[in-house]
Amino acid sequence: MATFAADALVVVHLLFVAFVVLGGFLLVRWSRLIWLHLPAAVWGAYIEFSGGICLLTPLENRLRVRGGESAYAGDFVEHYLLPVLYPAFLDTSLQTVLGGVVVAVNLVAYRLAWSAWRRKTRG
């Protein structure tokens, strides 16, 4: 059961990462989502810029150990996403770039949402 919970947590974590990076685009349609997305985006950027590890990663590792598997070193992005996206090891400079990507994508998304909100209020 613990292994299943760890696997489910990976899916939740992946969805959270996708929401952090791309969720700002949902604001064009659902403006109240800003109250969930803004803190999530700030948290995601903070984790990347600080070189920290999301709280879900140690929880997943504890569940894996409890289920008889081994834990992994590093963070979620390093373990699951970077092997797919980048062949190189995650270092601080790459993590800073990823944090910049989070901020840049969300600035574009929030700009689009702002424009949509202004059109609604004018129309």
Side-chain angles (χ1 to χ4, degrees):
M1 189 64 167
T3 302
F4 174 77
D7 291 343
L9 189 59
V10 169
V11 172
V12 169
H13 204 163
L14 184 58
L15 291 172
F16 180 77
V17 169
F19 182 66
V20 164
V21 176
L22 301 171
F25 293 104
L26 299 174
L27 299 176
V28 173
R29 174 103 168 110
W30 298 290
S31 61
R32 291 184 184 196
L33 198 58
I34 193 170
W35 300 110
L36 291 175
H37 183 261
L38 188 57
V42 168
W43 173 256
Y46 167 75
I47 287 298
E48 292 303 328
F49 287 135
S50 70
I53 294 177
C54 181
L55 301 173
L56 296 176
T57 301
L59 176 58
E60 179 198 346
N61 279 326
R62 280 194 298 273
L63 289 169
R64 293 220 178 274
V65 169
R66 191 176 289 166
E69 295 180 2
S70 59
Y72 59 85
D75 64 16
F76 178 85
V77 172
E78 178 182 357
H79 185 74
Y80 290 107
L81 299 181
L82 284 184
V84 174
L85 299 175
Y86 305 101
F89 180 78
L90 177 67
D91 60 10
T92 306
S93 62
L94 181 55
Q95 217 167 351
T96 301
V97 169
L98 291 173
V101 168
V102 168
V103 171
V105 168
N106 280 290
L107 286 174
V108 170
Y110 275 69
R111 176 66 176 120
L112 290 172
W114 176 259
S115 295
W117 297 336
R118 289 189 64 200
R119 280 192 305 273
K120 277 184 186 178
T121 58
R122 289 183 184 166

